[in-house]
């Protein structure tokens, strides 16, 4: 008997015993697909939140300060932070107004998902919030000082108001006040409906023109790293305690990294839980396979007895069973992977609105585990019975 | 010393569960020689050890003690590959319970020994059909065992045993499960094979069937108590 014949015999056995083959495949398909989909979606969620924080800008420190006398501390804080260049990369007030921006007849009031926020920022607003210029120039220190009526548009706003024509140099009105567009930021969040790009920045010193009469109380400080963010919190807290002595106002300083850290912790726990569930589905699939194989072991032992009695050698019988198990399991594994990939893409789109693909390592692991299990249990009768005397195997009934 | 007989069994014992409380001496010191082209009937009461002996003769089981030479070769020294070759080419075994593979059609069941022999394609089909024709079942070749009567299944089993043209046919109560008419048909087939030169060893508890053999071997309690030509045996 050669390999081709063993192969034919194995295929014949698979098609002759459809129920057995399909049930075995099903065990593998369910195990593999479930693991791939669940693990991928969690991995996708992890990636989504990581990307979200990266877009937002990492290592940010939020400063809130309310001196009771309404004193403007912006310049003091700005100058203090300049001196902390080892820890602090930038600082900006973070106030905003929500008024329409108009260009000719187009108004942001008519945007599908609502108009933009217009931030009252310093020259370091873009640095602090992870925006980069696509065109023109950014807000400058001079603009802030001179209260220049200039505006830098986020990509979503620029696209809405100007389409394909050139925004830089054009005049827009913000709440009826005229501003000159000096620059446009690159899109960093183009796919979502409530895009981070639906924004604009003007020098904070123009706040009064936009009806913002009180001084800025909310600031974002961009630290140079994770450790540095914690350091900056301590130092800025110390600075504020001098600037606003006890009883003359409130202030608090906190690192935004804590949200990210909480999120990371949460997704890590999610990964563990889902990993556990995935492991259980793999196991259940595996037990299903074992079950089918063990239930048919008597029947198969009898068949092996017949095959031996009419001249099947141990080698040819093991070969047949090996090929049979491998073919069934690999087909099951393949179908499981296909369903797993499709399921992952669909689940990713539905839950995260994101195109996710399962990792290769995890796929190989899930397929490897169930295929190995299937082959071991598929071969079990052959290993057990092919060494018996034919009559001993025939006695199995 | 190399035996020149086709089958040479010397002081063979088969003891099941040896050393345990439920020990059974199915064969006790059995010696038996059978020549080529003989037609031997092994008779005896149920439980006397006939099947046990036949399984050993057909290389489907091994004796606990004693030697069995088949065609001059000591069976206990053969490898699995050699044994499967003998089961495949030298001995055609017919079981009382048919032992067909249920998922395969009659033709596929008959083809199986040929496949293990390495005969493929149209030649295999031809040989299998020829065997089925001999037992008068060629037109039923695409039926599964479950779609056939007992007599038909037994004839498929015979076709399978003769498909490789083995020189020895061993049949363990081949008519036991059949009515007398189909039983007679099966017996005719065996006699036809014998006429063509095949050695036939047949187990039966039916005296009428035994009476058609050339030689009668009677077993009782695991021992041969009579071994003589048919004419001398009292049936
Ligand atoms: N696998 C076995 N284990 C234990 N005892 C067995 C086994 N096979 C047969 N026997 C016993 O051996 C004796 C001979 O059995 P067997 O050769 O089948 O008899 P026969 O075919 O003449 O009816 C019986 O007593 C039977 O119970
Ligand atoms: Mg018997």
């Amino acid at each position: 008997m050669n390999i081709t014949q063993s192969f034919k015999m194995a295929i014949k056995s698979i098609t002759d015993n459809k129920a057995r083959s399909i049930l075995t495949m099903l065990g593998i398909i369910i195990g593999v697909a479930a693991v791939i989909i669940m693990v991928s979606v969690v991995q996708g969620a992890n990636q989504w939140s990581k990307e979200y924080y990266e877009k937002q800008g990492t290592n940010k420190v939020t400063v809130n300060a309310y001196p009771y006398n309404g004193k403007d501390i912006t310049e003091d804080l700005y100058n203090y932070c300049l001196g902390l260049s080892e820890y602090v990369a930038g600082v900006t007030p973070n106030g905003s107004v929500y008024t329409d921006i108009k260009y000719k007849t187009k108004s942001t009031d008519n945007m599908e998902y609502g108009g933009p926020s217009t931030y009252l920022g310093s020259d370091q607003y873009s640095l602090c919030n992870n925006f980069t210029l696509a065109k023109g120039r950014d807000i400058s220190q001079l603009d802030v000082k001179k209260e220049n009526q200039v505006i830098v548009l986020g990509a979503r706003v620029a696209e809405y108001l100007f389409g394909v024509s050139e925004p830089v140099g054009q005049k827009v009105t913000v709440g009826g006040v005229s501003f000159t567009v000096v620059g446009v930021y690159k899109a960093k969040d183009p796919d979502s409906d409530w895009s981070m790009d639906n924004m604009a920045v003007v020098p904070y010193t123009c706040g009064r023109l936009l009806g913002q009469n009180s001084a800025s109380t909310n600031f974002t400080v961009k630290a140079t790293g994770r450790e540095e963010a914690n350091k900056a919190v301590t130092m800025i807290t110390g600075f504020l305690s001098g600037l606003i002595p006890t009883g003359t106002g409130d202030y608090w300083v906190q690192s935004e990294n804590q949200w990210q850290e909480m999120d990371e912790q949460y997704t890590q726990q999610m990964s563990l839980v889902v990993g556990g569930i995935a492991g259980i589905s793999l196991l259940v699939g595996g037990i299903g396979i074992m079950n089918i194989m063990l239930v048919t072991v008597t029947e198969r032992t009898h068949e092996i007895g017949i095959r031996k009695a009419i001249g099947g050698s141990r080698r040819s019988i093991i070969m047949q069973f090996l090929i049979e198990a491998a073919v069934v399991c690999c087909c099951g594994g393949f179908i499981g992977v296909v369903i797993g990939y499709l399921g992952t893409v669909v689940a990713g789109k539905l839950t995260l609105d994101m195109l996710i693909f399962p990792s290769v390592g995890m796929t190989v692991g899930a397929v490897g585990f169930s295929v190995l299990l299937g082959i071991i249990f598929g071969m079990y009768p052959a290993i057990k019975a092919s060494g018996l005397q034919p009559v001993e195997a025939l006695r199995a009934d | 010393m190399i035996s020149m007989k086709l089958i040479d069994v010397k002081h063979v014992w088969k003891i099941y569960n040896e050393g345990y409380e439920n020990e059974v001496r199915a064969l006790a010191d059995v010696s038996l020689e059978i020549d080529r082209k003989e037609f031997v009937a092994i008779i005896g009461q149920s439980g006397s050890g006939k099947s046990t002996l036949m399984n050993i003769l057909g290389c489907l089981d091994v004796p606990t003690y004693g030697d069995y030479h088949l065609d001059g070769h000591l069976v206990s020294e053969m490898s699995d590959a050699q044994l499967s070759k003998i089961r495949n080419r030298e001995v055609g075994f017919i079981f009382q319970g048919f032992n067909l593979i249920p998922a395969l059609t009659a033709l596929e069941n008959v083809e199986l020994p040929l496949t293990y022999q390495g005969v493929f394609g149209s030649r295999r089909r031809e040989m299998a059909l020829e065997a089925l024709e001999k037992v008068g079942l060629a037109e039923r070749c695409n039926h599964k065992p479950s779609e056939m009567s007992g007599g038909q299944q037994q004839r498929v089993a015979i076709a399978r045993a003769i498909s490789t043209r083995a020189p020895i046919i061993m049949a363990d109560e081949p008519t036991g499960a059949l009515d007398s008419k189909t039983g007679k048909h099966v017996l005719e087939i065996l006699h036809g094979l014998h006429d063509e030169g095949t050695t036939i060893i047949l187990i039966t508890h039916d005296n009428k069937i035994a009476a058609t053999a050339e030689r009668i071997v009677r077993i009782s309690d695991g021992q041969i108590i009579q071994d003589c030509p048919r004419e001398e045996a009292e049936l």
Side-chain angles (χ1 to χ4, degrees):
Chain A
M1 270 253 304
N2 57 21
I3 274 281
T4 336
Q5 287 306 311
S6 299
F7 210 90
K8 278 189 187 165
M9 213 175 252
I11 299 296
K12 175 121 188 64
S13 186
I14 291 168
T15 49
D16 282 345
N17 301 281
K18 285 200 185 62
R20 183 172 75 209
S21 312
I22 287 170
L23 284 173
T24 308
M25 269 190 220
L26 214 58
I28 292 177
I29 292 170
I30 290 170
V32 169
V35 168
I36 289 179
I37 294 171
M38 283 193 281
V39 174
S40 301
V41 168
V42 170
Q43 280 176 346
N46 290 359
Q47 195 193 332
W48 186 89
S49 88
K50 202 171 142 216
E51 276 173 13
Y52 173 82
Y53 284 106
E54 262 158 23
K55 279 186 216 161
Q56 288 267 318
T58 48
N59 306 318
K60 292 203 285 194
V61 173
T62 299
V63 178
N64 286 283
Y66 306 97
Y68 295 150
N69 58 10
K71 185 177 97 176
D72 190 348
I73 65 153
T74 312
E75 231 163 301
D76 290 329
L77 183 67
Y78 188 89
N79 290 331
Y80 176 71
C81 286
L82 284 187
L84 286 182
S85 60
E86 196 185 323
Y87 308 110
V88 173
V91 56
T92 180
N94 209 19
S96 55
V97 292
Y98 301 94
T99 51
D100 62 317
I101 304 179
K102 273 194 189 129
Y103 173 64
K104 291 184 179 162
T105 54
K106 270 203 153 165
S107 166
T108 56
D109 279 348
N110 303 322
M111 284 173 86
E112 191 180 354
Y113 294 97
S117 318
T118 300
Y119 292 96
L120 307 167
S122 76
D123 59 310
Q124 292 169 346
Y125 179 88
S126 60
L127 174 76
C128 292
N129 293 290
N130 203 23
F131 283 97
T132 44
L133 273 174
K135 284 183 193 155
R137 65 169 182 86
D138 212 337
I139 307 280
S140 71
Q141 241 171 315
L142 200 68
D143 291 330
V144 174
K145 205 179 222 160
K146 300 260 183 190
E147 301 180 24
N148 287 340
Q149 282 165 255
V150 294
I151 186 166
V152 182
L153 301 178
R156 182 65 58 96
V157 178
E159 191 197 317
Y160 179 78
L161 290 180
F162 292 94
V164 289
S165 61
E166 177 58 51
V168 176
Q170 300 295 325
K171 285 208 187 314
V172 296
T173 59
V174 181
V177 182
S178 173
F179 281 82
T180 306
V181 178
V182 292
V184 176
Y185 291 126
K186 270 188 204 150
K188 66 173 179 178
D189 187 22
D191 298 325
S192 52
D193 298 333
W194 288 275
S195 172
M196 294 175 197
D197 298 321
N198 192 10
M199 54 77 77
V201 191
V202 298
Y204 69 88
T205 44
C206 298
R208 208 157 327 194
L209 295 172
L210 300 176
Q212 200 74 358
N213 291 317
S214 49
S216 312
T217 55
N218 178 269
F219 307 88
T220 296
V221 173
K222 169 90 172 171
T224 51
R226 251 188 194 211
E227 282 306 305
E228 286 80 355
N230 297 334
K231 197 83 185 182
V233 170
T234 326
M235 301 191 66
I236 293 168
T237 309
F239 170 70
L240 289 177
S241 70
L243 201 62
I244 309 171
T246 321
T248 66
D250 286 330
Y251 57 86
W252 65 91
V253 184
Q254 59 191 177
S255 165
E256 292 296 312
N257 280 342
Q258 62 174 329
W259 304 115
Q260 188 179 357
E261 278 156 20
M262 262 169 63
D263 235 36
E264 276 167 11
Q265 245 174 37
Y266 172 73
T267 49
Q268 230 164 38
Q269 282 168 357
M270 268 306 271
S271 303
L272 275 178
V273 170
V274 172
I277 295 172
I280 290 171
S281 5
L282 209 54
L283 210 66
V284 168
I287 290 170
I289 299 167
M290 280 191 244
N291 229 342
I292 309 299
M293 299 297 195
L294 291 179
V295 162
T296 56
V297 109
T298 331
E299 175 193 326
R300 302 230 73 184
T301 303
H302 191 80
E303 179 193 329
I304 289 169
I306 297 175
R307 288 178 180 276
K308 287 210 77 171
I310 60 174
S313 64
R314 172 151 218 217
R315 216 185 74 97
S316 66
I317 288 166
I318 290 182
M319 188 66 79
Q320 177 205 328
F321 275 64
L322 170 65
I323 295 174
E324 194 179 322
V327 167
V328 170
C329 295
C330 290
C331 283
F334 179 76
I335 298 173
V337 169
V338 169
I339 294 178
Y341 270 62
L342 291 178
T344 300
V345 170
V346 170
K349 191 77 200 148
L350 290 182
T351 59
L352 301 167
D353 195 19
M354 184 175 163
L355 193 61
I356 41 179
F357 289 106
S359 77
V360 173
M362 188 255 309
T363 306
V364 169
V367 172
F369 176 81
S370 14
V371 167
L372 196 72
L373 206 74
I375 289 180
I376 289 173
F377 280 90
M379 287 198 55
Y380 173 72
I383 304 279
K384 205 183 98 168
S386 67
L388 296 177
Q389 294 296 328
V391 275
E392 290 171 324
L394 280 171
R395 223 169 269 145
D397 250 328
Chain B
M1 194 200 92
I2 290 177
S3 162
M4 293 319 292
K5 294 281 183 188
L6 177 62
I7 280 169
D8 183 2
V9 171
K10 279 212 168 67
H11 305 294
V12 157
W13 296 71
K14 182 69 185 184
I15 305 171
Y16 293 110
N17 312 316
E18 191 177 19
Y20 292 93
E21 248 176 64
N22 54 349
E23 180 177 292
V24 179
R25 295 178 168 203
L27 294 177
D29 200 21
V30 167
S31 295
L32 175 70
E33 289 181 354
I34 295 175
D35 244 333
R36 288 175 182 78
K37 301 189 181 175
E38 280 196 74
F39 194 125
V40 181
I42 298 174
I43 60 172
Q45 293 190 328
S46 172
S48 56
K50 306 183 295 293
S51 295
T52 305
L53 177 61
M54 188 74 118
N55 290 336
I56 290 171
L57 296 183
C59 300
L60 304 182
D61 207 354
V62 285
T64 316
Y65 305 111
D67 287 340
Y68 169 33
H69 284 89
L70 178 64
D71 216 0
H73 303 286
L74 186 58
V75 170
S76 56
E77 284 179 351
M78 289 182 189
S79 67
D80 179 74
Q82 287 172 308
L83 280 170
S84 38
K85 214 167 181 173
I86 287 191
R87 293 173 194 135
N88 188 236
R89 297 172 185 215
E90 302 298 323
V91 180
F93 209 101
I94 300 163
F95 300 90
Q96 182 174 3
F98 319 142
N99 278 339
L100 299 172
I101 294 181
L104 303 185
T105 64
L107 183 67
E108 287 162 348
N109 266 291
V110 177
E111 279 181 329
L112 209 49
L114 295 165
T115 306
Y116 283 121
Q117 193 179 319
V119 181
F120 307 131
S122 58
R123 169 114 190 91
R124 181 176 68 188
R125 207 186 143 80
E126 252 167 50
M127 287 176 77
L129 275 173
E130 198 185 306
L132 278 168
E133 232 150 68
K134 261 197 183 147
V135 298
L137 272 181
E139 74 286 356
R140 290 262 173 175
C141 64
N142 289 322
H143 289 236
K144 298 234 168 125
S146 58
E147 300 158 357
M148 296 183 172
S149 71
Q152 287 170 332
Q153 287 184 57
Q154 190 60 298
R155 275 145 71 198
V156 174
I158 293 172
R160 184 179 64 187
I162 65 175
S163 66
T164 59
R165 297 173 187 164
I168 313 169
I169 295 289
M170 298 187 187
D172 188 349
E173 307 207 27
T175 60
L178 310 179
D179 61 63
S180 60
K181 192 170 154 249
T182 40
K184 216 172 137 207
H185 186 105
V186 165
L187 198 64
E188 274 164 20
I189 295 169
L190 292 178
H191 276 287
L193 289 167
H194 181 239
D195 293 342
E196 288 170 18
T198 309
T199 309
I200 307 280
I201 306 171
L202 170 76
I203 290 179
T204 183
H205 56 244
D206 184 337
N207 285 345
K208 264 191 248 152
I209 290 174
T212 67
E214 297 173 338
R215 176 181 163 194
I216 309 286
V217 174
R218 188 188 293 274
I219 297 190
S220 175
D221 282 339
Q223 290 184 305
I224 295 179
I225 55 166
Q226 186 188 36
D227 184 354
C228 59
R230 175 191 57 209
E231 297 76 28
E232 294 168 25
E234 6 171 318
L235 292 170

